[in-house]
Amino acid sequence: MSGRPELSPLTPRAAQIASAARELLEEEGRDALTMRALADRLGIRAPSLYKHFPDKAAVEAALIEQGLAEMGAVLHAALEGTAPSEAADGTGAIGAVLRAYRAAALARPRLYRLTTSGPLARERLAPGLEEWSGTPFFLAAGEPYLAQALWSFAHGMVILELDGRYPDGSDLDRTWAEGARAFAARRT
Amino acid sequence: MSGRPELSPLTPRAAQIASAARELLEEEGRDALTMRALADRLGIRAPSLYKHFPDKAAVEAALIEQGLAEMGAVLHAALEGTAPSEAADGTGAIGAVLRAYRAAALARPRLYRLTTSGPLARERLAPGLEEWSGTPFFLAAGEPYLAQALWSFAHGMVILELDGRYPDGSDLDRTWAEGARAFAARRT
DNA sequence: AACAGTAGGCTAACAGCGTTAGCTTCGCAA
DNA sequence: TTGCGAAGCTAACGCTGTTAGCCTACTGTT
């Protein structure tokens, strides 16, 4: 399992704000996450938020930490769960990680996009968190280059699906399975 | 080769504006592409732009069409070029398409991100253009599911590289090669 | 008990954003 | 000559993130 790094500490009030921000993001999308709308949801005025976070990017960073932590937890759990059985479809740990990744991303699509899109302000994130959330890919692939390629495939699949880039009627289950077989065949 | 669909027609003035928009995007980034900055570059005021485009999204759509058209041209050319020799590294057409894709994206990173990130307003694009730009993946993979998986891998690799998501010192050449081998091995 | 400091609200305001309304000015065609 | 459309303009609106400065209430100290 290997312990998850601690998230950046938040004051109780800041945690409430982050929680409201997450609700707002997941219910209404990234564009709706404005400082005024967030303040409204808390019954205060926008400038008061700046007593708790230095700027909007810091609020987003708190959500990104949640996104990384939850994705990491899901992936680590998926690896634990399927280690004994060693897979239903012959793709083993690689298939398990891919299925878990897709399910977790589609369950929280807007948080996923916030977490993974655009340049990442690493200095705002808890150290080690990003790496920890990615290690299941390494564990599943057994080798860092295949692991990075596998992660890239998974992210590409998810983000293109979320953005509606695939033609209508695409059988994405089958595309995922095809990718899983391609990568699993290279596992040593 | 198969002829490229025509891009949406623009009046001469609109084409000038789109050209200036592209310069602005590539030189200063997406955030710098504002209607006022674009107008400045043309020596006019922002509201005058609305005589030529209905809104900012229409300007962006013109750039997205350029991005799709240029990417498609590069990929089609790459397939033509390597069909006879059949590859230096054993990955054949798949390796050729991947190398061309990466090179084209990294040569115009901000246009690539604009073209491929976020929901796509298909009704604003020339019909068939998006499909045409993607067909080289199908031609290289020989099969639609592998083709979609291959495209997803390529996009994931590029966008994660552009966003600086890989750890410092990652040997991305090797990661690309690993992915190319995985997909090439499944080509029938 | 009086005082100081701090946490956490508030209003007013600024610059920048996309966008609209309404006006003017120029060149061409009937 | 008249009319009209193309293409510019200014002023303004509502939205955004953010800052400055003020006020109130609680908390701990002397």
Side-chain angles (χ1 to χ4, degrees):
Chain A
M1 165 177 315
S2 80
R4 190 199 73 197
E6 289 297 319
L7 304 193
S8 303
L10 295 179
T11 64
R13 187 57 168 149
Q16 282 177 15
I17 293 173
S19 169
R22 178 155 174 183
E23 286 174 28
L24 190 55
L25 173 70
E26 290 188 344
E27 289 169 18
E28 305 183 43
R30 190 168 191 168
D31 289 349
L33 180 54
T34 71
M35 295 303 266
R36 282 174 178 86
L38 177 55
D40 269 1
R41 188 169 275 248
L42 291 154
I44 63 177
R45 307 287 163 156
S48 303
L49 296 171
Y50 291 81
K51 300 289 183 177
H52 306 281
F53 288 92
D55 52 26
K56 187 187 179 186
V59 178
E60 291 176 338
L63 299 187
I64 290 172
E65 285 198 347
Q66 289 184 21
L68 289 173
E70 290 172 25
M71 178 60 85
V74 165
L75 298 183
H76 278 279
L79 268 189
E80 292 222 334
T82 45
S85 75
E86 182 59 27
D89 63 347
T91 58
I94 282 180
V97 164
L98 288 180
R99 282 188 296 272
Y101 191 91
R102 184 187 185 194
L106 296 187
R108 301 167 193 77
R110 316 213 223 223
L111 182 61
Y112 180 85
R113 217 201 247 93
L114 179 69
T115 301
T116 60
S117 296
L120 187 61
R122 288 210 168 72
E123 69 283 0
R124 293 184 188 260
L125 299 183
L129 179 62
E130 193 188 4
E131 189 197 349
W132 173 81
S133 80
T135 50
F137 282 102
F138 173 78
L139 296 173
E143 179 259 292
Y145 302 100
L146 192 63
Q148 280 191 336
L150 185 63
W151 173 43
S152 303
F153 166 70
H155 174 65
M157 286 295 303
V158 165
I159 202 69
L160 292 172
E161 180 173 4
L162 290 183
D163 286 346
R165 296 281 175 151
Y166 296 110
D168 285 346
S170 293
D171 185 349
L172 294 181
D173 288 352
R174 209 163 146 184
T175 300
W176 277 95
E178 191 62 50
R181 278 191 291 272
F183 286 106
R186 286 202 63 81
R187 246 237 83 162
T188 49
Chain B
M1 163 177 321
S2 80
R4 190 200 72 196
E6 289 298 319
L7 303 193
S8 303
L10 295 178
T11 64
R13 187 57 169 150
Q16 283 178 14
I17 293 172
S19 169
R22 176 156 177 182
E23 287 175 25
L24 190 55
L25 173 70
E26 290 189 341
E27 289 170 16
E28 306 184 41
R30 190 168 190 169
D31 289 349
L33 181 55
T34 71
M35 296 302 266
R36 284 173 175 87
L38 176 55
D40 268 3
R41 190 169 275 248
L42 292 152
I44 63 177
R45 306 288 165 161
S48 303
L49 296 171
Y50 291 81
K51 300 289 182 180
H52 307 281
F53 289 93
D55 52 25
K56 188 187 178 184
V59 179
E60 290 176 339
L63 299 188
I64 290 172
E65 285 199 345
Q66 289 184 20
L68 288 173
E70 291 173 25
M71 178 61 84
V74 164
L75 298 183
H76 279 278
L79 268 188
E80 293 221 331
T82 46
S85 74
E86 185 56 29
D89 62 348
T91 59
I94 283 182
V97 164
L98 288 179
R99 282 189 295 273
Y101 192 90
R102 184 186 187 194
L106 297 187
R108 301 168 192 75
R110 315 214 223 225
L111 182 61
Y112 180 85
R113 215 201 250 92
L114 178 69
T115 302
T116 60
S117 295
L120 187 61
R122 289 211 168 69
E123 69 283 0
R124 293 183 186 260
L125 299 184
L129 180 60
E130 193 188 4
E131 189 198 349
W132 173 82
S133 80
T135 49
F137 282 102
F138 173 78
L139 296 173
E143 179 261 289
Y145 302 99
L146 191 64
Q148 280 191 338
L150 185 65
W151 173 42
S152 302
F153 165 71
H155 173 65
M157 286 295 302
V158 164
I159 202 69
L160 292 173
E161 179 173 4
L162 291 183
D163 286 346
R165 306 296 273 220
Y166 296 110
D168 286 346
S170 293
D171 185 348
L172 295 180
D173 287 353
R174 211 165 145 183
T175 300
W176 277 94
E178 190 63 48
R181 278 192 292 268
F183 285 106
R186 287 201 63 81
R187 247 236 84 163
T188 49

